[in-house]
Amino acid sequence: MASEVAIQRPRVVIIGAGFGGLSAAKALAGKPFGVTLVDRYNYHLFQPLLYQVATAALSPADIASPIRTVFRRQPNVDVILANVSGIDVARNQVIAEGRSIPFDYLIVATGAQQAYFGHADWAQHAPGLKTIDDATYLRRRILLAFEKAEIEPDHDERRRLLNFVVVGGGPTGVELAGAIAELAKRALASDFRNIDPRSARIVLVEAGPRILTQFDESLSSSALQALEQLGVEVRSGTEVTGCDDAGVSMGDERIESRTILWAAGVEASPASRWLGAESDRAGRAKVEPDLSLPGRPHIFVIGDTASCVDAEGKPLPGVAPVAKQQGYYVAHAIAARAAGKSVPAFRYRDYGTLATIGRSRAVAQIGRIKLSGFAAWLLWCFAHIYFLIGFRNRLLVMVNWAWSFATFQRGARLITGIVGARIRDVKPEAVAKSSVREEA
Amino acid sequence: MASEVAIQRPRVVIIGAGFGGLSAAKALAGKPFGVTLVDRYNYHLFQPLLYQVATAALSPADIASPIRTVFRRQPNVDVILANVSGIDVARNQVIAEGRSIPFDYLIVATGAQQAYFGHADWAQHAPGLKTIDDATYLRRRILLAFEKAEIEPDHDERRRLLNFVVVGGGPTGVELAGAIAELAKRALASDFRNIDPRSARIVLVEAGPRILTQFDESLSSSALQALEQLGVEVRSGTEVTGCDDAGVSMGDERIESRTILWAAGVEASPASRWLGAESDRAGRAKVEPDLSLPGRPHIFVIGDTASCVDAEGKPLPGVAPVAKQQGYYVAHAIAARAAGKSVPAFRYRDYGTLATIGRSRAVAQIGRIKLSGFAAWLLWCFAHIYFLIGFRNRLLVMVNWAWSFATFQRGARLITGIVGARIRDVKPEAVAKSSVREEA
């Protein structure tokens, strides 16, 4: 049986089937290891397009690929659907739902979660966007705000329902704010009788001096201009000092709003606590130049869970290409080490950064090349289709985008999960969601 | 303002945006009425393909159309998202979430819900399939059964997890059983390492003497043969006497199973109770030949909520064409009545019945023409694409079907809504669903 063969081969356990874990498992194809890939979801999620699920442009299945299908033809990979709750470093075992999974090599690729910088109570009022369930939850909140406004007799409450605040001016915040503006001003524009969705106010709040700080200043300005043309108010240099169920406070100022979305920051998953590892301020484990844990050369930490710097000492960004390159690197490092060879330190190759603003504009920075506007947007579309996994998802995303581009419509405008509730009573708190859950 | 004009026009309130309600509202386009369409969901659902969402072939948004978008260019229609809880017949008002919606004419098109024939406690063990939330819930249960089996050490429990029982041999039951068989025997076949999904046992239980009783006997036999070729065990003439969380009892016999799906019958929504109307055994309101309520010529009941017979005295089936034709008829009857004219009695035109079994076979009965096999399946595909609403949904369903047909794969294999739970502990009862909810 396959399992008897597997016993004789060293076992690599990978926690997390995000960009890092998936890339590592794929790079171990045909290599003399048994691979166990553990994830709490049965699908790999293409996170860069998650904001399009939250804003009703794509369906969850369009950006998710069943992990088992990805590895169907790679017989050395065993997929386990389970919640990992700890790592027994002394015994070389991963603990998942009361079960112990032994490893010879371990790759920790558990990603990041929302961070509220000491304000955990804001989470229920300002949900973040990390999972499919987060995205359908945000979609429900955004669409319900318009529905509630349509039947709301009180003027002030109607105003509050039509105000949307996005906190955080990174790519996710910019993409969300742009997409909500287009939803309100185009897709929903003619659909209501008592309210004018075009009167919705969308505010993007950023604590730093400008949005998209990872881009060159000229591209930040292009993005700002594009957002303002879409009708988004951008408040940079403005720190949020409070979030509640009726609005956001920023020092003396306040914006009344029933829909606050959090895109202001992430922290690593609790993996470095499981490992008892030294971590940085964002909870990311400090690693050796080969991404192994200090003193544990057979345990690797990659992606958003690892604290890494580039050649100039600058921290690597929490983006998919870093995780993918690290997954690939670690798979080869393990193979080399098992063969008694050594490997050079991990080095990140930056092929560029992209962010989109609405349906036809984007900014792109590729080495010294800077692009903005429609050309950058085409590049953005191409790159995202290219990196999606599987022919079906590529095809469906293309079809959806072509249709939305031609019609200004959104195809996935469903409010789900409100069974039996009075629409006016549907409360954010009524819904379980991952950003606010306690760890098991 | 539009509302002042509306006050001067008689108001038609329609409860329910299913096939009947939607068809009535559309047929009132350009007529001198204000129309208020109330639904508890923000989308019209194409129910005939709901089983494909439950079996991971389509995404919810592929078969749902936002109601507001459908009526975007019909200015006399006002859409309200709300749960209706009653009708004040004396005051001509619909009660929805504490609000009163006055009407001059009322069309009740609230559809049907699962019926457990006096065994309400079976609902939690054998969920039915009427809503999008039902479908994603069934999808989760079906996919989780395989995931749990993969990590289950106990042989008997693994067997229980790989047994699927569908109760009810009508079109929904037949379509579900066929789709689960194909899922297990084709789409999932190579995806697991510890179990063989092809060993799954799928049993279809029907109390009557044969499946698909609405079809001619020869077509029932074709369907039976097609199901058996897919590996479905069909038990006709077998009555279910008990459902619990570990299986189904049928007299002395028992099938151990963790996944029981209910497709054995429906009853009308509580609308005839709201109306204080006389109803048949299935709770459907008895109506006049013009579909109005006896003694209330301005109140109409259509679709699955109405009890109607055809020219030979046979009850009309609970299918989309009946509801659509009734909606169209009632809209014209109201217009005629407002103009002081009378209308002939409603007469159902039966254009035929279709049911599909798996990916390339179906049965079709169109008047005296009987078709089965691949030709019937092509007709089934064509008819379902044709009757879907909106270019986008047609295109996406076609793309999905073409891809599934070519690859034998399922594109929407997502287990959602399990946030933070231990996979092995995810219990059916943990999830709210419409089939088992109490009315508000």
Side-chain angles (χ1 to χ4, degrees):
Chain A
M1 297 296 294
S3 59
E4 291 174 53
V5 176
I7 286 163
Q8 292 158 30
R9 293 183 299 182
R11 178 140 302 263
V12 181
V13 172
I14 303 172
I15 314 178
F19 288 108
L22 207 71
S23 147
K26 281 181 168 178
L28 288 166
K31 295 209 155 54
F33 299 94
V35 179
T36 302
L37 179 53
V38 190
D39 199 284
R40 58 187 171 145
Y41 297 108
N42 74 324
Y43 48 82
H44 165 75
L45 173 63
F46 191 76
Q47 273 197 3
L49 292 179
L50 198 53
Y51 81 96
Q52 296 213 353
V53 174
T55 53
L58 294 174
S59 284
D62 300 342
I63 59 163
S65 316
I67 302 166
R68 297 191 181 281
T69 306
V70 174
F71 294 104
R72 156 174 302 187
R73 292 194 185 85
Q74 192 178 324
N76 71 336
V77 175
D78 193 1
V79 177
I80 295 180
L81 175 67
N83 275 284
V84 169
S85 55
I87 298 166
D88 186 336
V89 180
R91 289 199 181 81
N92 285 340
Q93 289 178 340
V94 170
I95 314 301
E97 309 202 352
R99 178 176 165 183
S100 301
I101 306 165
F103 60 80
D104 297 300
Y105 297 93
L106 176 65
I107 303 174
V108 178
T110 46
Q113 56 197 24
Q114 299 301 323
Y116 290 86
F117 311 119
H119 299 279
D121 56 309
W122 295 358
Q124 59 174 319
H125 308 300
L129 182 62
K130 294 303 284 180
T131 69
I132 290 271
D133 287 309
D134 288 344
T136 48
Y137 173 76
L138 291 196
R139 182 177 76 184
R140 173 164 65 239
R141 284 197 63 167
I142 294 167
L143 295 176
L144 266 181
F146 289 98
E147 294 291 344
K148 288 178 175 179
E150 172 79 352
I151 52 174
E152 177 58 52
D154 180 67
H155 176 267
D156 291 345
E157 177 61 15
R158 205 157 59 227
R159 204 52 264 163
R160 223 171 272 135
L161 285 163
L162 291 175
N163 284 354
F164 297 84
V165 180
V166 179
V167 184
T172 302
V174 166
E175 285 163 352
L176 265 178
I180 295 171
E182 285 190 334
L183 188 68
K185 295 176 198 267
R186 303 302 299 254
L188 301 182
S190 328
D191 282 15
F192 292 81
R193 300 290 183 253
N194 300 315
I195 57 163
D196 182 355
R198 287 169 300 184
S199 71
R201 186 176 163 208
I202 296 103
V203 185
L204 178 64
V205 183
E206 164 60 39
R210 59 185 175 97
I211 58 168
L212 299 180
T213 44
Q214 55 276 78
F215 288 83
D216 197 84
E217 209 156 335
S218 65
L219 291 178
S220 276
S221 302
S222 301
L224 174 64
Q225 204 186 358
L227 278 175
E228 287 177 342
Q229 277 173 9
L230 288 175
V232 176
E233 283 172 49
V234 179
R235 302 284 186 86
S236 42
T238 306
E239 202 169 327
V240 169
T241 53
C243 285
D244 54 59
D245 69 352
V248 178
S249 302
M250 299 156 299
D252 295 338
E253 205 195 337
R254 183 167 165 88
I255 303 173
E256 296 279 300
S257 168
R258 291 288 188 200
T259 316
I260 310 167
L261 309 181
W262 191 261
V266 294
E267 61 188 8
S269 61
S272 50
R273 259 197 345 253
W274 297 341
L275 292 164
E278 199 188 340
S279 59
D280 68 10
R281 277 190 317 160
R284 293 175 303 193
K286 292 191 176 164
V287 291
E288 299 286 350
D290 70 348
L291 306 177
S292 69
L293 213 58
R296 308 273 182 192
H298 63 303
I299 299 181
F300 298 84
V301 185
I302 63 174
D304 289 352
T305 323
S307 177
C308 290
V309 292
D310 65 13
E312 287 107 57
K314 263 181 35 190
L316 294 182
V319 296
V322 170
K324 284 164 89 168
Q325 290 178 32
Q326 291 184 333
Y328 183 87
Y329 168 87
V330 162
H332 287 86
I334 289 173
R337 188 160 311 158
K341 293 180 210 156
S342 69
V343 284
F346 170 75
R347 198 169 146 253
Y348 172 55
R349 276 178 161 279
D350 184 358
Y351 293 106
T353 316
L354 295 157
T356 185
I357 309 105
R359 72 191 276 276
S360 60
R361 296 189 65 175
V363 290
Q365 186 164 330
I366 300 144
R368 284 182 196 167
I369 303 167
K370 291 170 219 157
L371 273 177
S372 65
F374 192 70
W377 181 76
L378 282 181
L379 183 66
W380 180 91
C381 287
F382 174 80
H384 282 76
I385 295 280
Y386 181 81
F387 286 113
L388 264 174
I389 288 177
F391 174 72
R392 175 189 174 275
N393 289 3
R394 285 183 193 142
L395 185 63
L396 286 177
V397 169
M398 265 195 288
V399 168
N400 269 297
W401 284 356
W403 180 81
S404 290
F405 188 80
T407 63
F408 288 93
Q409 293 299 308
R410 300 297 170 92
R413 260 173 61 188
L414 310 190
I415 301 172
T416 51
I418 51 166
V419 168
R422 284 160 58 109
I423 303 306
R424 298 171 68 173
D425 296 345
V426 175
K427 283 274 188 308
E429 295 74 19
V431 183
K433 42 177 301 305
S434 67
S435 309
V436 297
R437 84 169 191 284
E438 292 298 299
E439 279 144 34
Chain B
M1 298 293 295
S3 58
E4 291 174 52
V5 176
I7 286 164
Q8 294 159 28
R9 294 182 300 183
R11 178 141 301 262
V12 181
V13 173
I14 303 172
I15 313 177
F19 288 109
L22 207 70
S23 146
K26 281 180 169 179
L28 287 166
K31 295 208 156 55
F33 299 94
V35 179
T36 301
L37 180 53
V38 191
D39 199 284
R40 57 187 172 144
Y41 297 107
N42 74 325
Y43 47 83
H44 164 75
L45 174 63
F46 192 76
Q47 273 198 2
L49 293 178
L50 198 54
Y51 80 96
Q52 296 213 354
V53 174
T55 53
L58 294 174
S59 285
D62 301 343
I63 60 163
S65 315
I67 302 166
R68 296 190 182 283
T69 306
V70 174
F71 294 103
R72 157 174 303 186
R73 292 194 187 84
Q74 191 178 325
N76 71 336
V77 175
D78 191 3
V79 177
I80 294 179
L81 175 68
N83 276 284
V84 169
S85 55
I87 297 166
D88 186 335
V89 180
R91 288 200 183 79
N92 285 340
Q93 289 179 339
V94 171
I95 313 300
E97 310 203 351
R99 181 178 163 178
S100 301
I101 306 166
F103 59 80
D104 297 299
Y105 297 93
L106 176 66
I107 303 174
V108 178
T110 46
Q113 56 196 23
Q114 300 301 323
Y116 290 87
F117 311 117
H119 298 280
D121 56 310
W122 294 359
Q124 59 175 319
H125 308 301
L129 182 62
K130 293 303 283 181
T131 69
I132 290 271
D133 288 309
D134 288 344
T136 49
Y137 173 75
L138 292 195
R139 182 176 77 183
R140 172 163 65 241
R141 285 196 64 165
I142 294 167
L143 295 177
L144 266 181
F146 290 98
E147 294 291 343
K148 289 179 175 178
E150 172 78 354
I151 52 173
E152 177 57 54
D154 180 68
H155 176 269
D156 291 344
E157 177 61 16
R158 206 158 55 230
R159 204 50 264 164
R160 226 171 271 134
L161 284 163
L162 292 175
N163 283 355
F164 297 83
V165 180
V166 179
V167 184
T172 302
V174 166
E175 285 164 352
L176 264 179
I180 296 171
E182 285 190 334
L183 187 69
K185 303 195 189 249
R186 302 302 300 254
L188 302 181
S190 327
D191 282 14
F192 291 81
R193 301 291 183 253
N194 300 315
I195 57 163
D196 182 355
R198 286 169 301 184
S199 72
R201 186 176 165 210
I202 296 102
V203 185
L204 178 65
V205 182
E206 164 60 39
R210 60 184 175 97
I211 59 168
L212 298 180
T213 44
Q214 55 275 77
F215 288 82
D216 197 85
E217 208 155 335
S218 65
L219 291 178
S220 276
S221 301
S222 301
L224 174 65
Q225 204 186 359
L227 277 175
E228 287 177 342
Q229 278 173 8
L230 288 175
V232 177
E233 284 175 47
V234 179
R235 303 284 187 85
S236 41
T238 307
E239 202 169 327
V240 169
T241 53
C243 285
D244 53 58
D245 70 352
V248 177
S249 301
M250 298 156 299
D252 295 339
E253 204 195 339
R254 183 167 165 87
I255 302 174
E256 296 279 300
S257 168
R258 291 288 188 200
T259 315
I260 311 166
L261 308 181
W262 191 261
V266 293
E267 61 188 8
S269 61
S272 50
R273 261 203 337 259
W274 297 342
L275 291 165
E278 199 188 340
S279 58
D280 68 9
R281 277 191 317 159
R284 292 175 303 194
K286 292 191 177 163
V287 291
E288 299 287 350
D290 69 349
L291 306 177
S292 68
L293 212 58
R296 308 272 183 194
H298 63 303
I299 298 181
F300 298 84
V301 185
I302 63 175
D304 289 354
T305 322
S307 178
C308 291
V309 293
D310 64 12
E312 287 107 58
K314 262 180 38 187
L316 294 183
V319 295
V322 170
K324 283 164 89 167
Q325 291 177 31
Q326 292 183 334
Y328 182 87
Y329 168 86
V330 163
H332 286 84
I334 289 173
R337 189 159 313 158
K341 294 179 208 155
S342 69
V343 284
F346 170 75
R347 197 168 148 252
Y348 172 55
R349 277 180 160 279
D350 184 358
Y351 292 106
T353 316
L354 295 156
T356 184
I357 310 104
R359 72 191 275 279
S360 61
R361 295 188 67 174
V363 290
Q365 186 164 332
I366 300 145
R368 283 178 195 170
I369 303 167
K370 291 170 218 157
L371 273 176
S372 64
F374 192 70
W377 181 77
L378 282 181
L379 183 66
W380 179 90
C381 287
F382 173 80
H384 282 75
I385 295 279
Y386 180 81
F387 285 113
L388 263 174
I389 287 177
F391 174 72
R392 175 190 174 273
N393 288 3
R394 285 181 193 145
L395 185 64
L396 286 177
V397 169
M398 265 196 288
V399 168
N400 268 298
W401 283 356
W403 179 81
S404 289
F405 189 81
T407 63
F408 289 94
Q409 292 299 308
R410 300 297 169 94
R413 260 173 63 189
L414 310 190
I415 301 173
T416 50
I418 53 167
V419 169
R422 284 162 56 112
I423 303 305
R424 297 171 69 173
D425 296 344
V426 176
K427 284 275 189 305
E429 294 75 18
V431 184
K433 43 177 300 306
S434 67
S435 310
V436 296
R437 85 166 191 288
E438 291 298 301
E439 280 144 37

